[in-house]
Amino acid sequence: MTDAYDALMEFERETGAIAHVAGRLSWDQETMMPRGAAAQRGEEMAAMEGVLHARRSDPRIGAWLATLEAAPEPLGPVQAANLRHIRRSYDRAVKVPARLAAELARVTSVAQGVWAEARAEDDFAAFAPTLSQVLKLKREEGAALADGGDVYDALLQDYEPGATAEQLSAMFGALRPRLKALLDEVRGAPAPARLSGTFDEDAQMRLARDIAKTFGYDLTRGRVDKAVHPFSSGSGNDVRITTRTAADDPFNCLYSTIHEVGHASYEQAVAQDYLFTPLGQGVSMGVHESQSRIYENQIGRSQAFTSYLFGEMTRRFGEIGVPDAEAFYRTVNRVHDGYIRTESDELQYNLHVLLRYDLERALVAKELEVADLEEAWNARFAADFGFAVDRPSNGVLQDVHWSVGLFGYFPTYSLGNVYAGCLHAALRRAEPGLDSALAAGDPSPATGWLRENVQRHGGLFEPRDTIARATGEAPSEGPLMEYLETKFRDLYAL
Amino acid sequence: MTDAYDALMEFERETGAIAHVAGRLSWDQETMMPRGAAAQRGEEMAAMEGVLHARRSDPRIGAWLATLEAAPEPLGPVQAANLRHIRRSYDRAVKVPARLAAELARVTSVAQGVWAEARAEDDFAAFAPTLSQVLKLKREEGAALADGGDVYDALLQDYEPGATAEQLSAMFGALRPRLKALLDEVRGAPAPARLSGTFDEDAQMRLARDIAKTFGYDLTRGRVDKAVHPFSSGSGNDVRITTRTAADDPFNCLYSTIHEVGHASYEQAVAQDYLFTPLGQGVSMGVHESQSRIYENQIGRSQAFTSYLFGEMTRRFGEIGVPDAEAFYRTVNRVHDGYIRTESDELQYNLHVLLRYDLERALVAKELEVADLEEAWNARFAADFGFAVDRPSNGVLQDVHWSVGLFGYFPTYSLGNVYAGCLHAALRRAEPGLDSALAAGDPSPATGWLRENVQRHGGLFEPRDTIARATGEAPSEGPLMEYLETKFRDLYAL
């Protein structure tokens, strides 16, 4: 039995290492690759995916699992967790017919290009037939995975193992009216100032790197580059992030960096023993997002930390258009109308996500068809945000996710925010002196607490349990809402 | 039969794509990887090597080859060339026992570190036991590959298919006395001036990129970065080079770049149809080196091109310590004493290589043992260069090659120079107006001729045939020696 476990884990570690190489290749594609290499890179990625798929569905895994699951001896927690992950991944790999997997890969790789063009042309009709194809295949895949159970729940497992739509809908259903009510309150109050001036982009990158280090990102095991979209990639001792700069908006660079540092620090903090095993990375998209969001928002946009940041920015950039730390805090947290999820503020962000969650559940459940999607999007947007979508690129065409088959991914963004709310409440209880450290530019009491209570465990516990163990209670939307209501009522003097 | 060929080639293309990914990983390691990722990267590379070894020795290849080789229909030239390459690679993969391959991988990965430390400590004795281990394994590997034939020849095939030590020794035996005689002549003449001043390193990189483009390197399918050692890596539409800068020596950056551009342009020029197949890359190390050396030396250090370069350098850097293009040409081609192969001039370079070739043949043939290697090196060095090696890091410890098991690689450097000599003679016959283009900063008549006559063929012809077809005659050392004697007698007014 030890032999079977060792053989299985050696095989898994090799697969993990190869998967990490594929991840490095994606990083390269977004940062370093010459543009003429795109088609060739597609062939390289397909070959790597072929290797990974063959390994993940290798019948030897089934045999090792059968031996180990039938063994009478009790397993240690690490062994049990590894087997749980491997069983889930193996079942997934063998449940989806090879024909369907290949068809999905083919269709989504084309669909992304079709989506990009339709968005550029502001023409949803040009994307609709392709999206219908993707949706049809994802419904098929979900049905194959669900084994008679709920199709949407089955898709959700790829991103948030253990989560169910029922659970999420309960949280989100409680969240939505309170967010809308808070938004209505804020909209009645005077708007804070905006930054003015232009901000040297090299100086923004230097500030971003310094702040990244301040938040505990280890640059001997990572690096920061510019890319079109900010992202974090890699595990263990090679976790890289990207950010972007705009001369008139230093917050874009800075808060994208802090967000990605949250993701990257999580990966860097996972116990080294777990490297390349199923435990050797963040446990789910939701828990991942909880780290990026608590770094970015509850810590990075706090009054205490922004008072430090105000000093740093005026020292580095001179006059920035706001008079003092108090005004700067309001500027950082300014609530502003907009169509685009990724540009949204902390208050409205989850309304964007909830809209997508409800629509994609309806799509998967065949309660909504692609032909009616644009109208449904626009109606829901007007209902939640109080104004109309002006064009598809500001509405139903804004996100890449559905084009590449990511149905079940969106809710993990809001789940991450809910988890961040829970963690933040527990963190404040555990670290009553946090604000004075943050005001001195030192987030280490927060990042240290998160490392110890969440990050180092990697995939050891199920996602929801990871949060529950760290906070001492079952996750709910309550702490997030209380935090938001307190923060924005205070900010807007309501 | 077409089915077997198609199946084999699909498999080969996937393997080629995965091998290219492994190459991208090595590039990353030398340019972008955070230093803390080294150990993890070792595990990633080992996993990739495992995948590649399994594919290259996959029994299905043997079955496909057997079917195709037994088929009565005649093959087209591309098919025949592919089968020849695949047969060679497959036989190699199955002849070397897995135990020996694994042991070689393990020992050489450690040996490189031992060598680096011994070199830093100037202590050959610290490296000798490890080198003996590597040599023992390489002798075993050579014997397994040779099937009773010559062991050194068997090792040579990895780098220069079709070459034999007998052939090389005949060329090199004729080369050595003429090189020594020419060196003696030059040493009697007054030495040219050196550059003076310091040269902004960013400006050096800008010049290097401009010159790279001038030589036809397509930067939409490549990129230039800094690294400790200059190298070229990749195939087809993703071929990247590195260079390095030193403030007091702009020629280091510039000629390293032109050298690597020779390698990279070859890869970029191979017919696109061959991508990821056995024909889709430079055919051998020797032919590869012929391209890098003809770009660097016969073109890049020609009187015509250096007259253009003198103008560019004075325009960009101001006063550079030499008065005119004539003096600049002599400075670029200054013959200077030195211990280190990679810093050597065009005249002495091959004496460094021939020394290594003779020693490594003796080592493989058990005519020389590692215990006596340092003494043999120093005696040969004194005989060829006329002065004594002062310390092992300037002698037997200077090159990494043997530590990583590269026995049979060194002679391809001089073979490349011999080939470059042959190609240059043919090029001058074909392009009589070349010098006036070069003087105007336009190497395209040369690079175009090489692309058409050598580079586009990739692996279609055997290495020696590739040169013979381009030049119309069997390769020999004659043209190289005539070129060198004419050039240096003229330069040194002998």
Side-chain angles (χ1 to χ4, degrees), chain B residues 216-228:
Chain B
Y217 180 44
D218 180 355
L219 281 164
T220 68
R221 303 188 294 138
R223 50 180 293 141
V224 184
D225 293 280
K226 280 205 211 185
V228 177

mmCIF file of all heavy atoms in Angstrom, chain B residues 216-228:
data_model
loop_
_atom_site.group_PDB
_atom_site.id
_atom_site.type_symbol
_atom_site.label_atom_id
_atom_site.label_comp_id
_atom_site.label_asym_id
_atom_site.label_seq_id
_atom_site.Cartn_x
_atom_site.Cartn_y
_atom_site.Cartn_z
ATOM 1 N N GLY B 216 19.139 40.637 -41.060
ATOM 2 C CA GLY B 216 17.979 39.873 -41.502
ATOM 3 C C GLY B 216 17.248 39.117 -40.401
ATOM 4 O O GLY B 216 16.342 38.332 -40.681
ATOM 5 N N TYR B 217 17.636 39.341 -39.137
ATOM 6 C CA TYR B 217 16.938 38.668 -38.033
ATOM 7 C C TYR B 217 15.553 39.301 -37.883
ATOM 8 O O TYR B 217 15.424 40.509 -37.743
ATOM 9 C CB TYR B 217 17.763 38.847 -36.757
ATOM 10 C CG TYR B 217 17.196 38.225 -35.497
ATOM 11 C CD1 TYR B 217 16.654 36.946 -35.487
ATOM 12 C CD2 TYR B 217 17.249 38.923 -34.294
ATOM 13 C CE1 TYR B 217 16.168 36.384 -34.323
ATOM 14 C CE2 TYR B 217 16.768 38.376 -33.120
ATOM 15 C CZ TYR B 217 16.226 37.111 -33.142
ATOM 16 O OH TYR B 217 15.745 36.556 -31.978
ATOM 17 N N ASP B 218 14.520 38.473 -37.917
ATOM 18 C CA ASP B 218 13.132 38.951 -37.892
ATOM 19 C C ASP B 218 12.668 39.063 -36.440
ATOM 20 O O ASP B 218 12.358 38.052 -35.799
ATOM 21 C CB ASP B 218 12.253 37.973 -38.681
ATOM 22 C CG ASP B 218 10.791 38.389 -38.703
ATOM 23 O OD1 ASP B 218 10.424 39.381 -38.026
ATOM 24 O OD2 ASP B 218 10.009 37.720 -39.406
ATOM 25 N N LEU B 219 12.599 40.291 -35.963
ATOM 26 C CA LEU B 219 12.250 40.491 -34.548
ATOM 27 C C LEU B 219 10.763 40.315 -34.269
ATOM 28 O O LEU B 219 10.357 40.298 -33.108
ATOM 29 C CB LEU B 219 12.745 41.852 -34.057
ATOM 30 C CG LEU B 219 14.252 41.846 -33.740
ATOM 31 C CD1 LEU B 219 14.799 43.260 -33.633
ATOM 32 C CD2 LEU B 219 14.529 41.089 -32.428
ATOM 33 N N THR B 220 9.922 40.172 -35.305
ATOM 34 C CA THR B 220 8.536 39.793 -35.019
ATOM 35 C C THR B 220 8.453 38.295 -34.722
ATOM 36 O O THR B 220 7.418 37.807 -34.294
ATOM 37 C CB THR B 220 7.578 40.109 -36.191
ATOM 38 O OG1 THR B 220 7.875 39.257 -37.295
ATOM 39 C CG2 THR B 220 7.711 41.559 -36.629
ATOM 40 N N ARG B 221 9.535 37.562 -34.983
ATOM 41 C CA ARG B 221 9.584 36.130 -34.685
ATOM 42 C C ARG B 221 10.792 35.802 -33.805
ATOM 43 O O ARG B 221 11.289 34.674 -33.800
ATOM 44 C CB ARG B 221 9.630 35.325 -35.994
ATOM 45 C CG ARG B 221 8.427 35.629 -36.912
ATOM 46 C CD ARG B 221 8.379 34.692 -38.109
ATOM 47 N NE ARG B 221 9.499 34.887 -39.008
ATOM 48 C CZ ARG B 221 10.185 33.904 -39.583
ATOM 49 N NH1 ARG B 221 9.865 32.637 -39.336
ATOM 50 N NH2 ARG B 221 11.187 34.162 -40.384
ATOM 51 N N GLY B 222 11.233 36.803 -33.058
ATOM 52 C CA GLY B 222 12.379 36.606 -32.174
ATOM 53 C C GLY B 222 12.511 37.759 -31.198
ATOM 54 O O GLY B 222 11.684 38.679 -31.214
ATOM 55 N N ARG B 223 13.497 37.706 -30.322
ATOM 56 C CA ARG B 223 13.754 38.811 -29.417
ATOM 57 C C ARG B 223 15.196 38.724 -28.920
ATOM 58 O O ARG B 223 15.814 37.655 -28.951
ATOM 59 C CB ARG B 223 12.772 38.850 -28.243
ATOM 60 C CG ARG B 223 12.582 37.527 -27.491
ATOM 61 C CD ARG B 223 11.589 37.695 -26.351
ATOM 62 N NE ARG B 223 12.140 38.561 -25.335
ATOM 63 C CZ ARG B 223 11.455 39.484 -24.655
ATOM 64 N NH1 ARG B 223 10.173 39.629 -24.899
ATOM 65 N NH2 ARG B 223 12.051 40.226 -23.753
ATOM 66 N N VAL B 224 15.698 39.860 -28.449
ATOM 67 C CA VAL B 224 17.066 39.944 -27.964
ATOM 68 C C VAL B 224 17.027 40.310 -26.483
ATOM 69 O O VAL B 224 16.395 41.294 -26.102
ATOM 70 C CB VAL B 224 17.863 41.040 -28.714
ATOM 71 C CG1 VAL B 224 19.318 41.048 -28.254
ATOM 72 C CG2 VAL B 224 17.769 40.855 -30.218
ATOM 73 N N ASP B 225 17.637 39.493 -25.650
ATOM 74 C CA ASP B 225 17.745 39.805 -24.218
ATOM 75 C C ASP B 225 19.198 39.693 -23.784
ATOM 76 O O ASP B 225 20.033 39.155 -24.495
ATOM 77 C CB ASP B 225 16.880 38.831 -23.406
ATOM 78 C CG ASP B 225 15.405 39.019 -23.669
ATOM 79 O OD1 ASP B 225 14.815 39.939 -23.093
ATOM 80 O OD2 ASP B 225 14.847 38.247 -24.480
ATOM 81 N N LYS B 226 19.460 40.188 -22.590
ATOM 82 C CA LYS B 226 20.787 40.013 -22.016
ATOM 83 C C LYS B 226 20.832 38.721 -21.203
ATOM 84 O O LYS B 226 19.854 38.347 -20.561
ATOM 85 C CB LYS B 226 21.097 41.167 -21.065
ATOM 86 C CG LYS B 226 21.549 42.433 -21.770
ATOM 87 C CD LYS B 226 22.381 43.249 -20.793
ATOM 88 C CE LYS B 226 22.254 44.725 -21.034
ATOM 89 N NZ LYS B 226 23.164 45.484 -20.153
ATOM 90 N N ALA B 227 21.983 38.045 -21.242
ATOM 91 C CA ALA B 227 22.188 36.872 -20.382
ATOM 92 C C ALA B 227 23.681 36.758 -20.098
ATOM 93 O O ALA B 227 24.488 37.474 -20.695
ATOM 94 C CB ALA B 227 21.677 35.608 -21.077
ATOM 95 N N VAL B 228 24.042 35.886 -19.178
ATOM 96 C CA VAL B 228 25.453 35.723 -18.838
ATOM 97 C C VAL B 228 26.227 35.234 -20.069
ATOM 98 O O VAL B 228 27.316 35.714 -20.366
ATOM 99 C CB VAL B 228 25.614 34.726 -17.668
ATOM 100 C CG1 VAL B 228 27.092 34.488 -17.358
ATOM 101 C CG2 VAL B 228 24.904 35.271 -16.435
#
